[in-house]
Every structure is written in C-alpha cells, then in structure tokens.
Amino acid sequence: LEARKDEIFVAPAIGLAHAAIHADPSLGVPAANVERGRKMTALQRVLVPELRRRGVRVLPGGDYAFPPNPLGLNARDRGLVVMPLFHIGARFFQLAHHMAGAAVHLPRRFDAAAAVATIARERITTLHLAPTMIQAVLDLPDLDRYDLSSLRTLSYGASAMPVALLRPALDRFGP
C-alpha cells in the first residue's frame, strides 16, 4: 500500500461496524454480527492510525461514497487553494475538497509562478482563482514549460471576469 499510496485509497466500513455495534436486537440483528462489528472496530482503531502514519489515505465511506457536490469532486482530486480562506469562494472550495476526501494544497500566499509549479509537480486537478490571479498566471513568460494537463477545473470568483481575460484563459486552459 505504501508504494502505491497516491493511487490506492483504503475505505474501511466504519459505518457498518458502528451500526452493528449499536444494533437493536429487536431489529433482528444476530448477536454474531454485533460481535463481528466490535472486533472490526477494535482492529480499525489500530490499523487506521498506522495506515495514516504511513501516508496511506483512509476514507471512511469509500472513494465515491460521498454525496455529489457542485464541483464534481472525488477522493482522487487534488485542489490548490491560493485565495485567502476568509473569502467564501476559497472556503467553499477547500471544504468541498475535504468533504470529498480530496487532497488540498494551501500555500501561505499567492504567487503565480509557485502556483503553476505546484500544479505541475503535484498534479493538481482543481483550482480556484480571482480574475487578477488568472491574469498573473497567463502573464508568466515561461508558462508553456509547465505541464498543466492534470488541471481539469479552473473556477474563478471575487470579481467579474472581463471578456478580454476570459478568452485567453479559455484558449490556454480550455472550456
């Protein structure tokens, strides 16, 4: 698991164990199932922290078991949040990623070159920027040297998007 920790997600059925432990016998849950749930929970209390310590992503509920969200995120996404978290767009973006079990990168401040390098290095799939930040990225003289092919969603907010900026952004990043 450790060798493939960026590809594999462990999804223990914590909810099933919890339900079995707290099952009401009047509902017809066999005592053996309750006991099995208790054993599974005890094992998970040891295994889950150890897997996390080793860098393996453990997702209660499974990879795609979370309710759909407006961004279409899942646990394999990797978001880059460069806007301040007091901004509602950035906060929503960050929380949506956490709810989906996705990775989130939170640099201390926005720097266009550092953001593009992070997208390329970390294979970022989703990004939320203000229009002025998009302009700063497009203005980078060496933008074409970065592999940004992992980026599938670029959302923007904080101000109106001028058409004169939207067109080159769509040309560079696609619709």
Side-chain angles (χ1 to χ4, degrees), residues 16 24 27 50 81 83 111 120 122 124 130 136 149 165:
L16 295 176
D24 184 342
L27 297 175
E50 179 60 19
V81 181
M83 293 180 67
D111 174 271
E122 300 295 333
I124 298 296
S149 62
L165 175 56

Side-chain angles (χ1 to χ4, degrees), residues 57-175:
R57 291 172 67 190
V58 181
L59 307 173
D63 189 3
Y64 292 95
F66 298 94
N69 58 67
L71 296 176
L73 298 171
N74 64 63
R76 286 182 169 79
D77 277 311
R78 303 172 73 74
L80 178 60
V81 181
V82 295
M83 293 180 67
L85 289 177
F86 61 77
H87 186 279
I88 190 67
R91 191 66 172 157
F92 168 78
F93 192 77
Q94 175 258 322
L95 287 173
H97 280 75
H98 282 138
M99 289 178 65
V104 177
H105 294 264
L106 295 164
R108 288 196 174 276
R109 63 181 181 84
F110 174 72
D111 174 271
V116 171
T118 301
I119 294 167
R121 182 183 64 252
E122 300 295 333
R123 308 301 298 151
I124 298 296
T125 59
T126 58
L127 176 64
H128 180 74
L129 299 173
T132 54
M133 294 171 165
I134 293 173
Q135 184 67 65
V137 168
L138 292 174
D139 287 345
L140 289 171
D142 59 347
L143 181 60
D144 289 333
R145 82 174 181 91
Y146 294 97
D147 177 8
L148 306 180
S149 62
S150 63
L151 192 61
R152 68 172 175 76
T153 302
L154 169 57
S155 58
Y156 63 88
S159 69
M161 174 66 86
V163 174
L165 175 56
L166 183 58
R167 284 196 177 113
L170 286 172
D171 289 344
R172 179 61 180 92
F173 300 108

Side-chain angles (χ1 to χ4, degrees), residues 28-52:
V29 177
N33 288 9
V34 173
E35 186 55 32
R36 194 171 22 247
R38 285 191 177 117
K39 288 178 181 176
M40 186 171 26
T41 299
L43 183 60
Q44 288 173 358
R45 284 187 181 135
V46 174
L47 288 179
V48 170
E50 179 60 19
L51 288 169
R52 285 190 173 142

